[in-house]
Amino acid sequence: MERFNIVFIETKNSKQSLLGRTAADFMLREFADFPAAESRIVKEEAMKAHPDGYYMKDAINVILTLDMPLLRKSSIERYVALLRMKKIAMVRLGGKDSASLISIGKADYDGIFVNDEDFLKIDDTKSYNMVYNLLKDRILDFHLSEGVRIVDKTTTFIDDTAKIEVGAQILPFSRIEGDSVVKRGASVSASFVRNSVIESEATVEMSHIVDSCVCARATVGPFARLRGAQISSDCRIGDFVEVKASKLGKGVKAAHLSYVGDADVGDGTNVGCGTVFCNYDGKDKHKTTVGSRCFIGANTNLIAPVVVGDNAFIAAGTTVTRDVEESSFTIGRVKQDTKTMTK
């Protein structure tokens, strides 16, 4: 069995972030189970100062800069086999002057060099763009092979850290970042999703979702924004609705043009157009609690902290400043006064 010594060199571009991970993260994960007798990470400056100090005479030395996130173990294994077959002492990976190489012992001459796609390194904005797009295609191809429906690879971006279940559908102009999960049967279209869960049969369309959960069969969008929101099953969050740090119960509907902030809203409640949960008094944030099966009329202002009981009805145009009892009717408009205009 071959005896390996592997040395990873930290460079200025090792920490470049691509699709949810740094370049170094991609490489270290790929080589986590590489059968090496020795495995080290060294600074670029240290390697330059003591270039001979990290080789092993009785081993195959694999020296890799941590700025090649496309690199795969299979490529290293292929070139190790080539060294043995062709009786070559060294192969440089990526170019004649590359610091990344494979050598048998400490070779005294340059040997050959190869410049496969795997050995593309991040040097500048142009190389970053090339590596990014090749890596993006690899990630998308993996999901396609697993049974995820991705309609247009060109306009779809999925971080390597995201999990997309078989049977999910990712439609054009979508970006899914961080620790997001899109479950079987869910659909995401033209939306930004970060660190969020989209559960089975939920639909997200042209929306911005961060640190949130959209439960089964809920629909979000178009043009909705969720921040730290818990959207329960069968909810409807419509156009130009923002939900921040709030939990909406089953079947809640906020169809359009509303802000729900720092709130708990009970099952089956309807939040009318133009409703604002007024959570900020200029200094502190306050909570609003709305019960189940309530009707919140259009252009209602709920001045937190306030509690609205179950089955309450709040008339359109009302500003609520005191708690509302269960099964009550609240109206807070100024009486209409219409006068004849004189010419």
Side-chain angles (χ1 to χ4, degrees), residues 7-242:
V7 179
F8 297 103
I9 305 173
E10 280 191 356
T11 68
K12 64 180 181 180
N13 291 308
S14 298
K15 299 301 182 183
Q16 288 274 7
S17 181
L18 310 92
L19 296 158
R21 302 186 191 276
T22 66
D25 289 339
F26 278 106
M27 293 187 65
L28 294 174
R29 181 185 63 174
E30 177 69 13
F31 287 88
D33 59 351
F34 194 78
E38 293 285 343
S39 179
R40 288 162 288 177
I41 299 175
V42 302
K43 300 289 185 181
E44 189 172 22
E45 297 78 12
M47 192 69 182
K48 288 179 179 178
H50 304 284
D52 298 332
Y54 298 98
Y55 288 85
M56 291 176 62
K57 293 181 180 180
D58 58 344
I60 295 177
N61 295 285
V62 181
I63 314 296
L64 302 173
T65 57
L66 285 171
D67 49 17
M68 300 187 295
L70 295 169
L71 186 57
R72 290 175 280 205
K73 286 186 298 185
S74 57
S75 294
I76 298 299
E77 291 161 356
R78 184 168 70 252
Y79 285 107
V80 168
L82 179 68
L83 285 177
R84 290 299 194 194
M85 183 176 65
K86 299 290 187 180
K87 297 182 179 180
I88 301 168
M90 178 189 293
V91 57
R92 289 193 180 271
L93 309 175
K96 290 182 179 179
D97 301 320
S98 175
S100 298
L101 57 88
I102 304 170
S103 72
I104 298 175
K106 180 66 175 75
D108 296 325
Y109 61 95
D110 288 342
I112 64 172
F113 71 93
V114 293
N115 56 1
D116 290 2
E117 176 185 291
D118 277 14
F119 307 129
L120 277 172
K121 59 182 296 184
I122 301 172
D123 280 327
D124 50 26
T125 54
K126 184 177 180 180
S127 59
Y128 177 92
N129 176 267
M130 293 172 65
V131 171
Y132 181 98
N133 282 285
L134 289 166
L135 194 57
K136 176 176 90 79
D137 280 349
R138 282 190 188 179
I139 293 167
L140 296 178
D141 286 341
F142 167 77
H143 289 301
L144 285 166
S145 69
E146 291 291 301
V148 177
R149 185 178 180 187
I150 297 172
V151 175
D152 182 14
K153 284 174 59 178
T154 306
T155 60
T156 302
F157 302 82
I158 300 176
D159 275 3
D160 186 68
T161 50
K163 294 179 175 60
I164 317 295
E165 291 188 355
V166 176
Q169 177 173 249
I170 312 299
L171 293 166
F173 301 102
S174 294
R175 184 175 188 94
I176 301 172
E177 293 187 348
D179 295 323
S180 293
V181 178
V182 181
K183 295 192 175 181
R184 181 186 299 269
S187 176
V188 177
S189 172
S191 296
F192 177 86
V193 179
R194 179 191 291 156
N195 297 333
S196 297
V197 177
I198 314 299
E199 294 194 349
S200 298
E201 309 302 326
T203 300
V204 175
E205 181 182 5
M206 288 185 278
S207 295
H208 189 281
I209 300 176
V210 176
D211 300 325
S212 298
C213 179
V214 179
C215 291
R217 301 176 302 281
T219 61
V220 176
F223 311 116
R225 188 181 187 199
L226 308 182
R227 297 183 291 143
Q230 175 78 26
I231 308 300
S232 297
S233 58
D234 302 301
C235 283
R236 169 76 179 100
I237 307 302
D239 49 303
F240 304 105
V241 173
E242 181 174 4

Side-chain angles (χ1 to χ4, degrees), residues 291-304:
S292 299
R293 300 171 302 281
C294 294
F295 183 90
I296 311 296
N299 281 346
T300 292
N301 296 312
L302 298 164
I303 312 298

